[in-house]
Amino acid sequence: MSDSEMKSKARYIMIGGFLGAGKTTAIAKLAKRLSEQGLRVGLITNDQGQNLVDTAMLRAQGFATEEIPGGCFCCRFNSLVEAAKKLTDQSRPEVFIAEPVGSCTDLVATVTYPLRRLYGENFTVAPVSVLVDPIRALRVFGLEQGGNFSEKVLYIYNKQIEEAGLVIISKRDLLDDGRLELLRNALAAKFPRKEIMAVSSRTGAGLDAWFGKITSQEQAARPAMEVDYQVYAEGEALLGWLNASVRLSATEAFDSDQFLRKLAEEIQAKLRAEQAEVAHLKMTLSPDEALAGEIAVVNLVRNDFVPELSLRLEEPVRGGELMINLRAEAAPEFLAQVVREVLASASGRFPTLQARLEHLEHFRPGKPNPTHRFKTA
Ligand SMILES: Nc1nc2c(ncn2[C@@H]2O[C@H](COP(=O)(O)OP(=O)(O)OP(=O)(O)O)[C@@H](O)[C@H]2O)c(=O)[nH]1
Ligand SMILES: [Mg+2]
């Protein structure tokens, strides 16, 4: 393809990887860099449910973001194309960055190859990046002890890496060189001939090299991998999903960081007590009186880790919208019960705070049923 042809098409970048691997954080970094270079960027988020924390986070950082709720990209391929069109109408992005659901796989055959075949005149498609949280991966590959998922969930985990154009070890700031080498060798042995890079969105390490590739290279046209959709569906169905939105109001201002941390710790304690492995608990608090972009975010990606505040509010708040997205290997009804109990007890610690559940959905993801599946590019 000639340079001018490449330039007239928008670039389509997909950043996948298991739940909690660091996709949204990396996408925000990439979008910021590209915007600073003067490029127009459009982001697309996706989830099985409504009320997406990721959309709230990315919009709070000022990025044009469209979401596809209620099903994965592969099963809602036409919505994905619609989302890109909507962004094009609004701001004509030169680069689209899409984040698929963290329990999804087979994205090459069901998303990128259909994009290339059906919309090849509109997009150049980058190699699919698959992010791997290093602590989670050391456990999955049996190199370290710790909470883990069932075999069928791990089927999806491994399939995600198998289809990667680039395997990206994320959060490399969490590992010393020895552990990083151990993980890199394990990945290289299990997934031969894959290009493996290590990055940290937090420190910036490795980002230049990775971003350089996905903004310039094209996806290789290899035959798509085989996937056993029965095992894939069973793996997804072992995961419990909960999305909720909660109206918070108080007559006395309260510290949102403390509240979010307390809520996360109490959810964590209840999941741990039932040995229900958390994949990702993420919550945002958008205060009523906030200026654009002011939002608090708390995340928890392992049962034995501390909930982290990835964005904070400067001032105490009196009210706002709390969004809860929880994914764990547990029955959805159990997750709903935990959230109801914890909301009552955590808000009880702040004397005038009332928490009213406005929307709550909890379910197991349905059987994946892709719109298209192309075995070749
Ligand atoms: N230490 C460290 N933590 C990170 C890094 N990147 C992301 N995280 C943290 O990892 C957690 C999950 O990050 P997200 O970006 O939300 O992960 P995700 O893959 O988008 O998660 P889902 O959308 O739920 O699948 C958050 O607490 C982030 O702050 C990193 O480079 N270093
Ligand atoms: Mg995300």
Side-chain angles (χ1 to χ4, degrees):
M1 188 181 303
S2 72
D3 263 13
S4 63
E5 253 184 310
M6 292 265 288
K7 284 201 182 86
S8 65
K9 297 180 183 188
R11 175 153 282 268
Y12 188 91
I13 299 175
M14 187 145 65
I15 299 187
F18 199 70
L19 297 158
K23 300 179 288 294
T24 308
T25 313
I27 286 171
K29 287 276 173 215
L30 173 58
K32 183 160 182 282
R33 284 209 186 181
L34 295 173
S35 306
E36 283 167 359
Q37 289 165 19
L39 289 165
R40 293 184 300 274
V41 181
L43 309 185
I44 306 176
T45 57
N46 182 214
D47 192 55
Q48 311 279 14
Q50 315 290 322
N51 293 99
L52 315 195
V53 160
D54 288 358
T55 310
M57 274 186 75
L58 293 168
R59 284 191 180 148
Q61 294 172 72
F63 302 117
T65 308
E66 279 300 311
E67 63 179 22
I68 301 177
C72 57
F73 284 153
C74 51
C75 309
R76 307 203 53 208
F77 182 81
N78 294 331
S79 307
L80 177 64
V81 174
E82 282 304 309
K85 279 199 185 123
K86 204 163 163 192
L87 285 163
T88 300
D89 290 344
Q90 289 162 4
S91 55
R92 280 188 305 117
E94 289 138 313
V95 184
F96 291 93
I97 315 173
E99 174 178 349
V101 182
S103 62
C104 261
T105 187
D106 207 22
L107 294 156
V108 167
T110 64
V111 179
T112 57
Y113 286 176
L115 270 180
R116 288 172 66 156
R117 280 217 214 163
L118 306 174
Y119 297 93
E121 73 280 13
N122 300 345
F123 302 111
T124 57
V125 177
V128 172
S129 302
V130 173
L131 266 58
V132 174
D133 174 313
I135 310 290
R136 176 66 72 199
L138 285 165
R139 292 177 185 181
V140 167
F141 300 129
L143 301 166
E144 289 184 3
Q145 295 293 312
N148 214 337
F149 298 106
S150 309
E151 211 176 297
K152 285 176 181 165
V153 176
L154 296 182
Y155 175 80
I156 300 172
Y157 187 95
N158 281 295
K159 280 287 164 189
Q160 290 180 337
I161 303 175
E162 186 184 329
E163 74 169 334
L166 294 168
V167 177
I168 308 296
I169 300 173
S170 61
K171 313 184 193 181
R172 72 152 295 177
D173 55 289
L174 296 177
L175 295 187
D176 58 27
D177 290 349
R179 284 168 88 202
L180 178 62
E181 214 37 45
L182 193 68
L183 176 57
R184 209 188 253 282
N185 291 340
L187 282 165
K190 205 167 155 57
F191 303 97
R193 292 181 301 281
K194 287 277 175 213
E195 178 156 9
I196 303 170
M197 308 177 85
V199 309
S200 167
S201 295
R202 215 161 265 188
T203 65
L207 292 182
D208 284 346
W210 174 33
F211 291 168
K213 282 189 192 287
I214 52 180
T215 50
S216 65
Q217 291 184 353
E218 275 202 80
Q219 178 184 43
R222 298 193 193 95
M225 68 180 179
E226 296 296 322
V227 178
D228 182 335
Y229 267 73
Q230 188 58 36
V231 183
Y232 175 16
E234 287 170 15
E236 272 208 294
L238 288 169
L239 297 167
W241 223 260
L242 176 142
N243 284 9
S245 71
V246 182
R247 172 118 293 274
L248 299 176
S249 52
T251 48
E252 261 173 52
F254 64 96
D255 182 326
S256 58
D257 291 356
Q258 259 183 34
F259 174 70
L260 285 178
R261 208 189 288 273
K262 196 82 230 153
L263 209 57
E265 283 168 1
E266 292 192 10
I267 294 174
Q268 177 179 30
K270 285 188 188 282
L271 293 179
R272 237 195 223 160
E274 294 299 317
Q275 289 174 348
E277 184 66 16
V278 73
H280 199 180
L281 162 64
K282 47 190 177 180
M283 297 189 277
T284 52
L285 199 165
S286 314
D288 292 334
E289 62 269 32
L291 301 171
E294 283 184 337
I295 186 173
V297 184
V298 69
N299 304 75
L300 176 70
V301 291
R302 294 191 302 280
N303 278 15
D304 60 351
F305 199 48
V306 286
E308 287 189 315
L309 285 155
S310 46
L311 291 173
R312 292 163 188 269
L313 294 173
E314 300 282 313
E315 304 284 335
V317 295
R318 278 178 201 280
E321 197 70 23
L322 169 71
M323 235 191 271
I324 308 175
N325 289 179
L326 170 59
R327 293 90 181 80
E329 187 168 343
E333 300 71 28
F334 170 67
L335 300 183
Q337 180 197 330
V338 165
V339 164
R340 284 181 202 280
E341 286 173 8
V342 161
L343 269 178
S345 89
S347 42
R349 290 165 193 270
F350 299 79
T352 65
L353 177 59
Q354 303 246 313
R356 195 179 74 242
L357 207 47
E358 288 188 324
H359 167 87
L360 173 77
E361 55 181 326
H362 54 91
F363 55 88
R364 297 181 187 280
K367 190 174 180 357
N369 185 17
T371 316
H372 303 286
R373 186 168 198 282
F374 294 154
K375 289 188 173 174
T376 53

